[in-house]
Amino acid sequence: MAGEGKRRSRRGKRKRQSRNNVSSSLQEEQPQISPPLRPTKPPKRSKHEPPAPNSTASSNFLDKIRVRLSGAHFRMINEKLYTCSGNEAHELFKKDPELFNVYHAGYQEQMSHWPEQPVNIIIKWLNDHSSSLIVADFGCGSATLAKNVKNKVFSIDLVANDPSVIACDMSHTPLDSSSVDVVVFCLSLMGTNFPSYLQEANRVLKPCGWLLVAEVRSRFDPNNGGADPDKFCEAVCKLGYTLVSKDLRNKMFVLFYFRKKEKASLVKGIEWPELKACLYKRR
């Protein structure tokens, strides 16, 4: 009996070992499943560390800086043109023609905010008259007038940024005396010697010819330091003109239409009102 008990004990022990071996084998065959990864947080940025660069934001910022610098450059040139003589302005642009491009780029940007352009009214006036009229555009800029009418136009300015433009001091043009039918000053009576521009226009204009002057309205606002428009017209008429009409309807500019008398005696010592500088605001 004792021997039988020992044999049973050994058989039981072998069965338990066999089961343990099978269990260990199954555990080894099962794949090891790692616990799910937790989302990692980005490292905290020091308060003294600059933010990561954003290419779009950086580009927009640089564009704004360029616009501001360009606007400041334009205003600086604009103020210079209103406070120096025509000859000084001509020499300035002659030394650095790129300044003229900077000025006109800024000028066009300023004009884009105006609801109506005076040059367009003058274009319409010319198109309503004979295309045989010869025109001199003093201070033509990009020669917009010449490009939009059928008339022969002498485009005159301080710098020739177009092959058709005559570059000169507007008080001394190469035009012949009594050679044009219409003289235009469209926002171009700049400079401390603006009366000499009008005297030169009088020289080149034929008897019974037209003188059209468009200027920034604030320059003819006596309540805010501008010239009295009646005194300006009186001075022009002493050159030998008749005021046909004046257009004060636009809030941005005024427009005068003069006609030269057929015979007029030269008046000396004309008292010209001071036209204040037109300084554009920072936008």
Side-chain angles (χ1 to χ4, degrees), residues 64 67-68 71-72 74-75 106-115 252 280-283:
K64 289 180 180 179
V67 169
R68 287 184 179 180
F74 160 73
R75 289 190 294 274
Y107 172 82
Q108 292 298 332
E109 198 280 332
Q110 291 288 336
M111 289 297 101
S112 67
H113 298 282
W114 286 26
M252 304 302 291
Y280 294 98
K281 296 179 181 179
R282 176 178 175 179
R283 294 186 181 277

Side-chain angles (χ1 to χ4, degrees), residues 118-128 144-146 148-149:
V119 68
N120 291 333
I121 295 178
I122 295 172
I123 288 170
K124 184 179 183 305
W125 185 91
L126 285 170
N127 287 332
D128 289 341
T144 300
L145 186 65
N148 288 276
V149 296

Side-chain angles (χ1 to χ4, degrees), residues 17 29 35 55 57 68 79 87-88 128 131 136 154 156 165 169 190 195 208 215 220 224 254 268 278:
Q17 288 177 345
E29 291 177 1
S55 60
R68 287 184 179 180
E79 183 174 354
N87 183 59
E88 290 172 326
D128 289 341
S131 60
F154 292 105
I156 302 167
V165 176
D169 174 1
M190 307 172 73
C208 301
E215 263 304 334
F220 289 96
N224 291 297
V254 295
K268 295 183 179 180
C278 175

Side-chain angles (χ1 to χ4, degrees), residues 264-282:
S265 57
L266 182 63
V267 177
K268 295 183 179 180
I270 298 174
E271 185 177 348
W272 292 92
E274 182 180 352
L275 296 183
K276 77 171 186 176
C278 175
L279 304 180
Y280 294 98
K281 296 179 181 179
R282 176 178 175 179

Side-chain angles (χ1 to χ4, degrees), residues 122-254:
I122 295 172
I123 288 170
K124 184 179 183 305
W125 185 91
L126 285 170
N127 287 332
D128 289 341
H129 289 72
S130 173
S131 60
S132 64
L133 296 177
I134 301 173
V135 182
D137 184 8
F138 280 60
C140 66
S142 55
T144 300
L145 186 65
K147 295 172 183 176
N148 288 276
V149 296
K150 296 179 180 179
N151 308 68
K152 177 179 176 57
V153 179
F154 292 105
S155 298
I156 302 167
D157 215 321
L158 296 168
V159 172
N161 60 356
D162 184 281
S164 64
V165 176
I166 301 169
C168 65
D169 174 1
M170 291 191 297
S171 60
H172 300 286
T173 72
L175 302 182
D176 294 333
S177 298
S178 301
S179 59
V180 302
D181 301 290
V182 182
V183 169
V184 173
F185 286 94
C186 187
L187 309 182
S188 56
L189 284 181
M190 307 172 73
T192 55
N193 64 325
F194 78 88
S196 64
Y197 303 162
L198 292 167
Q199 290 166 353
E200 175 66 1
N202 189 51
R203 181 186 71 81
V204 304
L205 192 61
K206 296 176 182 178
C208 301
W210 289 89
L211 171 65
L212 277 54
V213 178
E215 263 304 334
V216 179
R217 190 179 185 91
S218 62
R219 303 189 78 192
F220 289 96
D221 183 0
N223 297 322
N224 291 297
D228 185 332
D230 292 334
K231 289 184 178 179
F232 173 77
C233 292
E234 182 181 337
V236 174
C237 288
K238 286 182 178 180
L239 275 179
Y241 292 85
T242 299
L243 176 64
V244 177
S245 66
K246 56 184 175 182
D247 186 350
L248 306 177
R249 295 172 298 174
N250 196 285
K251 66 178 183 178
M252 304 302 291
F253 60 88
V254 295

